[in-house]
Amino acid sequence: VYDEAAPYYDLFAAGRGRDADREATLVLAEIRRLLAGRPLRTLLDVGCGTGAHLPRFVEAGLSVVGVDPSRSMLRMAAERAPSVELWVASLPDLDVGGRRFDAVVSLFSVIGYVSEDGGLAEAVAAMAGALEDGGCLLVEGWVEPEFWIGSTVGAEAVTTPELAVTRTVVSGLDGHVASLHVRHVVARPGERELTTIDEHHRLRLTDPSEVEAAFAAAGLTFERLPHLLHDGRSVYVGVRT
Ligand SMILES: C[S@@+](CC[C@H](N)C(=O)[O-])C[C@H]1O[C@@H](n2cnc3c(N)ncnc32)[C@H](O)[C@@H]1O
């Protein structure tokens, strides 16, 4: 997933009116509150994708590393934020070569992709392991079980002078794991045929009590912020003690 369809990710985000700068500003304010005067110089963005939040983090004077399993997403991030170090790495193991950061963040559904039983605890432990002592972890959860509204369908379309693209989704739930079948259809002027990209996303619903247990097991304090970024998806913060 997030491979061939990567070039269209930002188009759909813009179409939904996403304001990633505002999200990054809220995230930084939250981290600073948690750090309580301890310096914030380095930040790791896990699952940075196309780098939506990276320019704001850089603007704030931070030395930033972004990691993502998708090279296509990282290519877009490199265009958007050329000064940021970008590596291929993924949860739950997250190999960052022993580097430590003042803050580690994971934003906008990334943690949902760790769908195996026990994977969440492993992923949180790996992110906590990349923190300096006293450093702050901020994880945005995916949809919580109580906000899952059942099998849904959706479709979006974006048109620019260069292309027209649709994104159609059907979702269902197997136990705790949602299954999203996504089809992109792309049309470009001058091309006689449409390009079709099919993806299957598997995302684990984020159970706040599972996250709390994972933070405790990783030696982090725990706070749940239900309304910081997106409705139905809490943000979880903690400090490495
Ligand atoms: C919805 S995008 C969010 C990207 C970015 N954080 C944002 O806010 O726009 C989800 C990202 O998670 C990445 N991802 C998927 N599985 C992952 C994993 N196991 N570990 C880390 N990132 C993962 C995908 O490649 C994709 O870039």
Side-chain angles (χ1 to χ4, degrees), residues 32-192:
R32 290 209 162 90
R33 177 181 71 81
L34 265 284
L35 289 177
R38 188 185 179 284
L40 172 59
R41 297 193 188 99
T42 55
L43 180 144
L44 172 67
D45 185 348
V46 178
C48 66
T50 61
H53 302 104
L54 299 179
R56 181 72 198 94
F57 294 154
V58 170
E59 216 176 84
L62 306 183
S63 167
V64 183
V65 174
V67 299
D68 199 281
S70 164
R71 287 176 196 276
S72 312
M73 294 294 262
L74 288 176
R75 266 197 293 278
M76 317 238 357
E79 278 176 29
R80 179 182 257 142
S83 69
V84 170
E85 269 185 76
L86 297 167
W87 305 334
V88 174
S90 58
L91 296 170
D93 43 334
L94 189 70
D95 179 4
V96 289
R99 289 268 292 268
R100 297 279 188 98
F101 300 85
D102 299 319
V104 175
V105 302
S106 180
L107 300 169
F108 208 45
S109 76
V110 172
I111 198 71
Y113 286 93
V114 183
S115 59
E116 304 301 321
D117 287 347
L120 177 69
E122 224 184 301
V124 169
M127 290 190 280
L131 284 175
E132 300 281 6
D133 288 336
C136 174
L137 175 64
L138 185 151
V139 176
E140 182 180 11
W142 195 56
V143 177
E144 290 166 28
E146 70 166 295
F147 290 103
W148 177 259
I149 54 172
S151 175
T152 53
V153 293
E156 298 163 271
V158 176
T159 305
T160 73
E162 287 81 36
L163 58 82
V165 55
T166 59
R167 181 179 187 273
T168 309
V169 185
V170 59
S171 68
L173 193 64
D174 307 315
H176 297 289
V177 180
S179 172
L180 275 61
H181 288 277
V182 182
R183 172 166 291 183
H184 289 78
V185 180
V186 188
R188 287 195 174 76
E191 285 183 7
R192 299 286 176 94

